[in-house]
C-alpha cells in the first residue's frame, strides 16, 4: 500500500535553533498534506494544511512564521519549527488523504518526537 | 466546530476479557469515522473505517459500530491480549473539511497478562 515516510523520528535540539521535519509520499502524489501536533496525553490537533504549489492554511492559534510549511512538490512536504523553545516539544505527524482510491483511510507518517532543551 | 470525546481515558483489563471503547462526536454531519491505534512514541495504525452510511465494520477481533444520529461509535475488542495494549483514537472526517480529521483524546488500554 501507499506509504508516507516521515523523518526524523526523533530529534533533540537546543532552544533557539530550527528543526525541519520531512514527509515524503513514496509511491503516490500527495497534493495535500495535513500537519498535526500531539502533546503528551492529549489528542492530535491539526496545525495546518499544505497544498502543493500554494501557501499553507494554518489553524487558529498556530503561528505561521514559527511553523514554516513548504509543499514544493507532489511528493514532499516539510515543516520547519523555527527558533524552537521547550514549549514546542511535542509529537508532530503528517497525513495525506487517500484521494486516489476512493473512500479509504488517510495515510500517516511515522511521527517525529521533538524535544527542545 | 466538531468535538470528539472518548471515554474512558484509560482502561486496564485482564487478558482474555472483552471490552468496549466509546467515542462521541457533536456534529453528526460526518463523512466517515476511523479508529486508530497508537503505540507509545509511534505513529498511527488505522484499524477500521466506517462510512457514514454504514453501521459497523469488523476486522478480526475488532468490531466498530457507528450511530451517526446519536453521534456515537464504539470499538469492541474481543478476547483481549497484552499485545492490544496501546492508545486507541477515534477520528471523524466532516463534510467540506477537505478530508482533515478531528481526533478524540484517546483511550489508553492496558491488557494485563
Amino acid at each position: 500500500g501507499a506509504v508516507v515516510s516521515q523523518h526524523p523520528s526523533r530529534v533533540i535540539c537546543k532552544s533557539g535553533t530550527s528543526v525541519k521535519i520531512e514527509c515524503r509520499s513514496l509511491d503516490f502524489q500527495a497534493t495535500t498534506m495535513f500537519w498535526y501536533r500531539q502533546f503528551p496525553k492529549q489528542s492530535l490537533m491539526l496545525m495546518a494544511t499544505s497544498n502543493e504549489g500554494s501557501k499553507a492554511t494554518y489553524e487558529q492559534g498556530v503561528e505561521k512564521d514559527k511553523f514554516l510549511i513548504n509543499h514544493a512538490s507532489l511528493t514532499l512536504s516539510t515543516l520547519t519549527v523555527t527558533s524552537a523553545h521547550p514549549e514546542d516539544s511535542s509529537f508532530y505527524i503528517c497525513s495525506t488523504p487517500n484521494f486516489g482510491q476512493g473512500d479509504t483511510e488517510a495515510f500517516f507518517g511515522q511521527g517525529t518526537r521533538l524535544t527542545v532543551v | 466546530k466538531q468535538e470528539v470525546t472518548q471515554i474512558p481515558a484509560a482502561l486496564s483489563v485482564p487478558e482474555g476479557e472483552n471490552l468496549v471503547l466509546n467515542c462521541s462526536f457533536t456534529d453528526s454531519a460526518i463523512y466517515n469515522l476511523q479508529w486508530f491505534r497508537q503505540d507509545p512514541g509511534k505513529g498511527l495504525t488505522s484499524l477500521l473505517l466506517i462510512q457514514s452510511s454504514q453501521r459497523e465494520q469488523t476486522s478480526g477481533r475488532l468490531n466498530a459500530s457507528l450511530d451517526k444520529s446519536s453521534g456515537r461509535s464504539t470499538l469492541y475488542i474481543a478476547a483481549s491480549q497484552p499485545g492490544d495494549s496501546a492508545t486507541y483514537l477515534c477520528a471523524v472526517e466532516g463534510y467540506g473539511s477537505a478530508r482533515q480529521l478531528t481526533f478524540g483524546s484517546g483511550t489508553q488500554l492496558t491488557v494485563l497478562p
Side-chain angles (χ1 to χ4, degrees):
Chain A
V3 175
V4 174
S5 178
Q6 182 172 347
H7 293 281
S9 59
R10 285 182 183 274
V11 58
I12 300 173
C13 70
K14 291 184 178 181
S15 185
T17 61
S18 295
V19 174
K20 179 185 284 189
I21 301 170
E22 294 187 349
C23 275
R24 293 181 183 273
S25 55
L26 297 185
D27 55 1
F28 67 100
Q29 294 181 332
T31 56
T32 299
M33 192 73 75
F34 300 120
W35 287 93
Y36 295 87
R37 177 171 56 184
Q38 183 182 35
F39 292 108
K41 297 193 183 299
Q42 295 187 26
S43 185
L44 281 79
M45 298 297 294
L46 181 68
M47 297 175 64
T49 303
S50 72
N51 293 292
E52 186 269 335
S54 63
K55 288 184 178 180
T57 303
Y58 290 81
E59 297 300 300
Q60 190 174 8
V62 178
E63 300 175 58
K64 63 183 172 127
D65 295 330
K66 180 171 183 62
F67 299 98
L68 301 180
I69 291 175
N70 185 285
H71 197 150
S73 78
L74 288 171
T75 59
L76 176 63
S77 178
T78 62
L79 167 66
T80 301
V81 183
T82 63
S83 186
H85 287 95
E87 58 264 32
D88 298 323
S89 297
S90 185
F91 185 73
Y92 294 85
I93 191 165
C94 61
S95 168
T96 184
N98 188 2
F99 287 127
Q101 299 184 31
D103 298 328
T104 57
E105 62 269 22
F107 302 122
F108 284 83
Q110 299 91 330
T112 298
R113 172 73 59 191
L114 170 63
T115 303
V116 184
V117 298
Chain B
K1 180 183 175 184
Q2 179 74 269
E3 292 184 6
V4 181
T5 303
Q6 290 186 247
I7 53 173
L11 181 63
S12 184
V13 300
E15 183 177 3
E17 198 163 289
N18 302 325
L19 57 101
V20 175
L21 307 181
N22 297 290
C23 173
S24 61
F25 45 95
T26 55
D27 186 349
S28 61
I30 63 169
Y31 190 65
N32 62 49
L33 182 145
Q34 300 180 49
W35 283 92
F36 296 90
R37 169 185 174 138
Q38 185 177 29
D39 291 286
K42 301 292 181 64
L44 303 181
T45 300
S46 179
L47 298 173
L48 290 164
L49 179 147
I50 311 176
Q51 298 296 338
S52 62
S53 58
Q54 297 175 325
R55 298 284 292 183
E56 66 177 342
Q57 283 286 338
T58 298
S59 176
R61 293 182 294 108
L62 305 180
N63 176 277
S65 68
L66 173 64
D67 184 343
K68 198 174 71 163
S69 61
S70 67
R72 298 185 182 192
S73 175
T74 61
L75 178 66
Y76 175 82
I77 302 177
S80 58
Q81 303 171 357
D84 295 330
S85 298
T87 296
Y88 290 80
L89 299 166
C90 73
V92 298
E93 180 182 333
Y95 286 105
S97 66
R99 307 206 70 179
Q100 66 204 41
L101 300 176
T102 301
F103 285 85
S105 53
T107 294
Q108 186 174 352
L109 173 66
T110 302
V111 181
L112 304 170

